[in-house]
Amino acid sequence: MQTVGKLMKVFVTRRIPPEGMKILSTAGACELSLWDSDEPLPRAELLKGVQGAHGLLCMLSDKVDAEVLDAAGPNLKVISTLSVGFDHLALDEIKKRGIRVGYTPDVLTDATAELTVALLLATARRLPEAVEEVKNGGWTSWKPLMMCGYGLSGSTVGVIGLGRIGMAIARRLMPFGVKRLLYSGRSAKADAAEVNGEFVPLDTLVSESDFIVVSCSLTPETQGLCDKAFFSKMKNTAVFVNSSRGAVVNQEDLYEALNSGQIAAAGLDVTTPEPLPTNNPLLTLKNCVVLPHIGSATYSTRGIMSALSVQNLLGGLKGSDMPSELTF
């Protein structure tokens, strides 16, 4: 880093798991400022905290735009985000200023894929609803059609976005006896052969799938992709699962599709906004399971993400290699 006496200022926008803090606190040559809370910092505190910073370690909930970059000033060399997503970063502005960006893509793939499969099963087999029946006395006796849902065996699964996480989800679903695995995206993927994936147009995927899993990035093309027209093409026995980004889905249209019986059920680990207000209409529906964005929430994964984000930050400060640098 810089010579002694010229400490580099680092601003961290949230308490992070100890694996990362340990590396940061023993790195030396850093003057560390931390928003010491598990809750997101207010915008005003972000603008204040970044002033004069050489490095910024941020979360998905911190919008880093031109205003933040201006507040930071010309010292800012690196932004490290504790996430795989980077739609909260104004990349055009960041690139213009020659600031490097680190993120944590590969380390959360398995945890997110596991959670997505868990959410799919919980939604399709109506687990939250069934637990509630046990608690509220609705379980009076065994009945032939009580709590019937939909199984994966012999089904067609559609994955929108067969990237790292999409592939990891597909690998985990195949042993359940899935008959066909359809996927759509910008291009066919060479490794799709491993899961017998069929590259199809989106319309084909939507109309033929029994389960639809969204695992694409949020881009201008995917924003609001799952809307009224999308849901109207789905089977009325189909289950929809989103663990990518909330803004890929038009939630009003999803509510209508679920409420009217246009589709069978939906499981969401991501919403717009986050957190979802407790009076949101989706939360009144029995056939909608909503989780609080816990895709990567295993102790081990969050620890690894924390360490990687700090290693990215330190690499950017030193002007050396970053383990996971975003190229844009």
Side-chain angles (χ1 to χ4, degrees):
M1 297 207 189
Q2 293 187 342
T3 52
V4 178
K6 282 193 171 181
L7 291 179
M8 290 217 188
K9 183 180 173 186
V10 167
F11 184 56
V12 181
T13 67
R14 194 90 60 91
R15 277 186 211 138
I16 60 172
E19 292 87 342
M21 282 309 293
K22 189 177 174 187
I23 298 169
L24 196 51
S25 56
T26 56
C30 278
E31 179 196 328
L32 176 62
S33 300
L34 168 72
W35 177 254
D36 194 12
S37 169
D38 291 325
E39 297 299 321
L41 82 172
R43 179 76 175 176
E45 294 295 333
L46 174 59
L47 292 170
K48 195 165 86 181
V50 295
Q51 285 175 22
H54 297 85
L56 171 65
L57 200 161
C58 66
M59 312 291 134
L60 199 60
S61 51
D62 303 316
K63 191 171 176 58
V64 180
D65 54 14
E67 186 184 20
V68 172
L69 299 172
D70 287 341
N75 282 347
L76 192 62
K77 304 169 70 158
V78 59
I79 297 166
S80 178
T81 181
L82 191 103
S83 64
V84 62
F86 42 83
D87 43 277
H88 56 304
L89 307 178
L91 294 182
D92 289 348
E93 283 292 332
I94 291 166
K95 186 176 185 179
K96 216 186 285 180
R97 300 165 198 236
I99 298 164
R100 295 170 73 189
V101 175
Y103 68 135
T104 60
D106 297 304
V107 295
L108 49 64
T109 299
D110 287 339
T112 304
E114 281 174 14
L115 187 279
T116 305
V117 172
L119 177 58
L120 186 152
L121 291 169
T123 305
R125 294 299 301 272
R126 300 168 66 182
L127 298 193
E129 203 183 336
V131 168
E132 199 49 45
E133 286 292 284
V134 175
K135 289 180 177 178
N136 67 21
W139 182 21
T140 52
S141 70
W142 184 89
K143 299 167 189 171
L145 289 175
M146 184 175 119
M147 286 291 130
C148 282
Y150 300 93
L152 281 160
S153 183
S155 70
T156 297
V157 172
V159 179
I160 299 174
L162 200 71
R164 280 183 298 263
I165 294 172
M167 261 306 285
I169 293 165
R171 283 191 197 104
R172 284 161 174 78
L173 288 176
M174 296 316 284
F176 284 93
V178 171
K179 191 176 177 186
R180 291 177 74 205
L181 192 289
L182 311 180
Y183 72 99
S184 67
R186 290 193 199 121
S187 59
K189 305 280 186 181
D191 56 357
E194 186 193 324
V195 290
N196 297 318
E198 302 171 42
F199 183 54
V200 296
L202 183 63
D203 277 2
T204 304
L205 182 149
V206 175
S207 61
E208 295 185 12
S209 296
D210 300 301
F211 299 89
I212 294 177
V213 179
V214 183
S215 61
C216 57
S217 304
L218 179 61
T219 65
E221 294 78 47
T222 61
Q223 177 125 13
L225 176 74
C226 305
D227 59 6
K228 186 175 183 177
F230 179 102
F231 297 121
S232 70
K233 291 170 193 154
M234 283 176 63
K235 298 179 181 181
N236 58 14
T237 52
V239 173
F240 175 83
V241 174
N242 182 20
S243 58
S244 61
R245 284 290 174 266
V248 173
V249 176
N250 180 313
Q251 286 174 184
E252 291 75 18
D253 292 351
L254 175 60
Y255 172 82
E256 288 304 327
L258 289 165
N259 193 42
S260 68
Q262 173 66 56
I263 68 172
L268 309 174
D269 186 39
V270 287
T271 59
T272 308
E274 290 183 2
L276 193 65
T278 53
N279 63 354
N280 188 280
L282 285 171
L283 300 180
T284 66
L285 299 171
K286 285 186 174 179
N287 58 344
C288 187
V289 179
V290 182
L291 301 179
H293 201 149
I294 54 169
S296 63
T298 65
Y299 290 110
S300 147
T301 299
R302 290 284 166 86
I304 294 165
M305 286 171 71
S306 174
L308 178 57
S309 63
V310 169
Q311 287 157 352
N312 283 334
L313 181 82
L314 295 174
L317 289 174
K318 293 173 185 170
S320 59
D321 284 350
M322 292 160 66
S324 264
E325 183 168 8
L326 184 64
T327 51
F328 58 99

